[in-house]
Amino acid sequence: MAKGHTIPLLHLSHLLFHRRIKLTIVTTAANRPFIANFLGWPSDDPNIIDLPFPSQIEGIPQGIESTDKLPSISLFTQFAIATKFMQPHFEQALSQLSNVTAMVSDWFLSWTLESANKFGIPRLSFHGMNNYSGAVGHQVFVNGLFSGPESDDDLITVTGFPWIKITRNDYEKPFNQRVPTGPHLDLVIESTIAAANSYGLISNTFYELEPIFVDYLNRESKPKVLCVGPLCLAEPQAPMVEARVHQPQPKWMEWLDQKLAQDRSVVYVAFGSQEEISRQQLEEMSKGLEESQVSFLWVVRKNDDETNVVMRELEERVGKRGMIVREWVGQMAILRHESVKGFVSHCGWNSVLESICWKVPILAWPMMADQHLNARMVVEEIKIGLRVETCDGSVRGFVKADGLKKMVKELMEGEKGKEARKKVEEIGEGAKKAMAEGGSSWQTLNELIDELQSVRNSDEKKTVEAGRKYSLRFLSPLQLGEA
């Protein structure tokens, strides 16, 4: 129940709906309006089922049912563990459904595997990460690569992928520690075991983007990785689209249209829905964007007094050259706008895929979770972007205004930016081919649907045959002979 997980699952729903698959979406009351609106379904649609989210969870205010609303992302582990209390309600809902062919649930909801097994339903785990991160992480922990270096910024060669070098600082605690422990580690281990015992792992990527790493995981770990993305290319199908066709054009779209008419290129700046950036860093960011003289659209999700002061001052200094947006935006609509030629991004995997699909090069500024590994993939592996320069060289270091100004101008106007733009255009074409009819992701999803239907038909046949055998045991010898 995080937007970065929910949205690709809803994009997957678009694909399944288009293939005439009957869908039931299980969520909570606070998340229902967003899901119904996204799908274009009525808010009271019976195919959306609400489960009560547990109350009185330490640190989590009543009514908070998605991670973007948490007071701090540090509460994520408590939030994820709290979902386990939903299991009885989930199973009650499952008992009311008939003819369920398969279940797709988020990787972190490990307890859904037990529920799926109770009802004889194949569970597919949905993981929002790429396979580069999964394969590198597997090598790191299997080979104990973090047990050696003294400094968190020492480069470590990844066994099995010797061209890749990482640091401890590319990982969050506790995974960057010599002997990791703690509740978050326990949560990840539980989720990993549940995924390994699931029917398959649905991966929001396309095979041609990272074949070495998909093949590695399918060879060295379980379950089978099923590449069905980029899911952001799944276009809404009627009636899903009907609820959104008459919405007025937002102000930021009007501003982008004006920049296009002025033949001004725009850099888009966004760090996801869970950003936690200090005032000092915000001030340096705003100064760097101002001095770059580049037109920018900056989406700011944080709405505290300090952030608002910095943003108001920036607006006053740059005038119409920049625009600050404080509400939820349709990021894909921004990235596919013709005026947008660069993206300063935290490198959340959804954002990386959306940049690829709309052929916009990235200036990588990772903040948390898997974003540092994603940034390495973006800059070093698939070469569709550049990276911000920190003042001390650490991947988690402070970024000063001069460093940001330099890299924004390089992305938008420099030779390295041109090379990244050429590469992302090439890979973007590959993404569209993968999702088009006959493409690798298109084939994988169709084969999965056929396979699951075959499993269901086989199970139904076995059930019928078992029932017939059971009935025969109660026939008399005469009746058996007549039968």
Side-chain angles (χ1 to χ4, degrees), residues 78-125:
Q78 293 99 301
F79 180 86
I81 292 171
T83 65
K84 295 179 181 181
F85 293 104
M86 296 162 62
Q87 186 172 356
H89 305 286
F90 180 55
E91 292 178 2
Q92 175 62 29
L94 283 179
S95 70
Q96 304 300 312
L97 300 175
S98 59
N99 301 318
V100 179
T101 303
M103 175 195 300
V104 180
S105 67
D106 189 88
W107 189 82
F108 279 107
L109 302 179
S110 57
W111 49 268
T112 58
L113 176 64
E114 181 182 4
S115 302
N117 289 341
K118 282 183 184 179
F119 288 85
I121 301 170
R123 185 232 185 190
L124 293 154
S125 178

Side-chain angles (χ1 to χ4, degrees), residues 307-477:
T307 302
N308 289 335
V309 168
V310 175
M311 294 301 107
R312 279 198 302 270
E313 291 175 352
L314 177 60
E315 286 175 310
E316 289 170 2
R317 296 197 304 268
V318 300
K320 293 181 179 180
R321 180 166 64 81
M323 184 170 191
I324 310 297
V325 181
R326 295 173 175 83
E327 69 267 11
W328 182 266
V329 300
Q331 180 161 283
M332 284 194 291
I334 292 174
L335 288 170
R336 66 175 166 235
H337 197 279
E338 290 180 65
S339 67
V340 176
K341 303 298 183 183
F343 183 10
V344 181
S345 172
H346 63 319
C347 287
W349 186 236
N350 292 328
S351 291
V352 171
L353 287 174
E354 289 166 9
S355 269
I356 287 172
C357 292
W358 305 115
K359 303 175 184 177
V360 179
I362 293 172
L363 180 57
W365 191 343
M367 299 281 175
M368 53 176 282
D370 60 333
Q371 294 164 12
H372 288 83
L373 288 174
N374 294 347
R376 286 201 181 274
M377 181 183 181
V378 161
V379 177
E380 299 166 9
E381 189 71 26
I382 57 177
K383 304 182 190 308
I384 62 165
L386 313 178
R387 188 158 186 160
V388 292
E389 290 184 356
T390 59
C391 58
D392 62 0
S394 169
V395 297
R396 293 181 184 268
F398 191 79
V399 177
K400 290 189 174 180
D402 286 347
L404 180 60
K405 169 188 170 182
K406 171 188 170 184
M407 295 313 297
V408 166
K409 290 184 75 66
E410 182 63 37
L411 180 74
M412 301 298 283
E413 303 166 6
E415 286 303 313
K416 291 181 180 178
K418 290 176 183 176
E419 291 170 9
R421 185 165 288 105
K422 181 179 178 181
K423 190 67 176 177
V424 77
E425 286 175 358
E426 171 193 323
I427 294 177
E429 284 300 311
K432 290 178 180 177
K433 288 179 182 177
M435 288 293 284
E437 185 171 349
S440 60
S441 294
W442 183 90
Q443 289 180 333
T444 297
L445 185 58
N446 280 2
E447 288 168 3
L448 174 62
I449 292 168
D450 290 344
E451 187 177 312
L452 289 167
Q453 188 61 55
S454 177
V455 168
R456 176 184 164 188
N457 291 340
S458 175
D459 288 345
E460 287 176 349
K461 183 178 178 182
K462 288 176 183 177
T463 300
V464 171
E465 289 174 350
R468 286 173 179 165
K469 290 175 183 177
Y470 183 83
S471 298
L472 285 173
R473 293 174 189 166
F474 296 93
L475 295 176
S476 67

Side-chain angles (χ1 to χ4, degrees), residues 118-183:
K118 282 183 184 179
F119 288 85
I121 301 170
R123 185 232 185 190
L124 293 154
S125 178
F126 179 85
H127 205 341
M129 291 172 58
N130 56 48
N131 296 287
Y132 169 94
S133 300
V136 169
H138 189 270
Q139 280 288 301
V140 166
F141 296 109
V142 164
N143 294 292
L145 298 184
F146 286 163
S147 61
E150 291 298 322
S151 169
D152 288 343
D153 291 307
D154 286 349
L155 286 171
I156 305 163
T157 298
V158 178
T159 312
F161 310 112
W163 66 92
I164 299 175
K165 291 179 171 55
I166 60 168
T167 71
R168 278 207 197 99
N169 266 331
D170 285 305
Y171 283 80
E172 301 284 306
K173 291 181 180 180
F175 306 105
N176 58 4
Q177 298 174 335
R178 285 186 169 84
V179 184
T181 58

Side-chain angles (χ1 to χ4, degrees), residues 54 76 179 263 276 436:
F76 169 78
V179 184
D263 197 27
E276 291 186 353

